[in-house]
Amino acid sequence: MSTKKPLRPLYFGGAAAVAAVTVLGFAAPASAETPVEEPSSFTSAFTVMATPDNVVNTDAVATPGEAGATGQFTFRVNSDLEIICYDITLEGVTGEYMSPAKTATHIHQAAAGLAGPPRIAFPNPAPVGDGPRTSSGCLQGPFTTGILSNGVDTGDGFSLKTLEADAAAFASDAHTVAFPAGVVRGQLAQVPVGGLQTGGGATAAAPADVTDAAGVTDAGGVTGADTGAATNLAVGVGAVGLLALAGFGVSRRRSARS
């Protein structure tokens, strides 16, 4: 007999919502993605070790985030269903979130050292305070971010199959009032779904048309210093060990329900 986990509420930071109204001139849709239960299988999985030294500004100039802060992002994807499950932990992060997007925690289409637009906005890890901040759940597309480029939301039309095709061309980050360019950032590195192969994380060329809307400064879409390449390599090589230590959610969550 299986027991289904209750859905976690999908909530967004107030500062991000206010910024979206101020920067864009109108309130973006509250959400398009739908919180869903974890699917029975995944087509891919990814991990991110996010650090402050990987953050750059909109001009791709190194703009370090909060000293001592770290972020661990784990993503499990079923691209056939357009579902992404996430487990996010931020440590050493202080202060309130802030971003012109509808949340301050994202996946951006941006290779290491380059800027790029957010494609998915996740609920901000909580609680805001001195301890670790966490967030987990599953979202099903279509996705929206609240950031417009040429009048179109940067999540519009995005498919998880694009992420699967070139994971190193994507980065995860979070933004705060004190560190609007990004408090931490790291590139995605593919890891084995079934533990049978090593992950990737090779350097990727910049994706086409990855510039945020004119006048919109979401430093989240612009993180990732060149040092991210070295971080990716370390993550890729150590991916299997990381999964073993973390009890990776691909089997962890499903076994809990079976």
Side-chain angles (χ1 to χ4, degrees), residues 40 76 85 110 233:
S40 60
R76 288 150 290 132
C85 295
L233 178 61

Side-chain angles (χ1 to χ4, degrees), residues 206-223:
D209 189 21
V210 294
T211 304
D212 283 343
V216 175
T217 305
D218 172 27
V222 296
T223 54

Side-chain angles (χ1 to χ4, degrees), residues 24-211:
L24 299 178
F26 60 92
S31 181
E33 54 280 328
T34 304
V36 295
E37 293 189 3
E38 190 171 287
S40 60
S41 63
F42 297 95
T43 55
S44 61
F46 307 89
T47 187
V48 177
M49 294 297 292
T51 56
D53 58 307
N54 287 330
V55 179
V56 300
N57 65 16
T58 53
D59 295 318
V61 175
T63 309
E66 185 165 8
T70 60
Q72 293 184 339
F73 298 72
T74 297
F75 301 114
R76 288 150 290 132
V77 170
N78 184 317
S79 59
D80 296 326
L81 300 176
E82 286 295 334
I83 292 175
I84 183 168
C85 295
Y86 57 92
D87 289 282
I88 303 170
T89 299
L90 300 177
E91 296 193 72
V93 172
T94 61
E96 297 287 339
Y97 293 107
M98 184 180 75
S99 169
K102 65 183 184 180
T103 75
T105 307
H106 315 127
I107 285 180
H108 292 263
Q109 191 165 0
L114 299 178
R119 298 302 190 191
I120 304 176
F122 297 95
N124 294 323
V128 172
D130 295 332
R133 307 181 185 192
T134 62
S135 180
S136 63
C138 299
L139 299 176
Q140 184 171 35
F143 302 101
T144 61
T145 66
I147 296 291
L148 300 184
S149 178
N150 298 321
V152 178
D153 191 281
T154 60
D156 186 57
F158 175 71
S159 171
L160 292 170
K161 290 185 183 297
T162 304
L163 187 154
E164 290 181 324
D166 191 1
F170 291 83
S172 288
D173 62 8
H175 311 267
T176 61
V177 172
F179 298 94
V183 65
V184 291
R185 171 193 166 149
Q187 299 301 121
L188 272 67
Q190 189 166 2
V191 294
V193 173
L196 300 178
Q197 71 223 29
T198 57
T203 302
D209 189 21
V210 294
T211 304

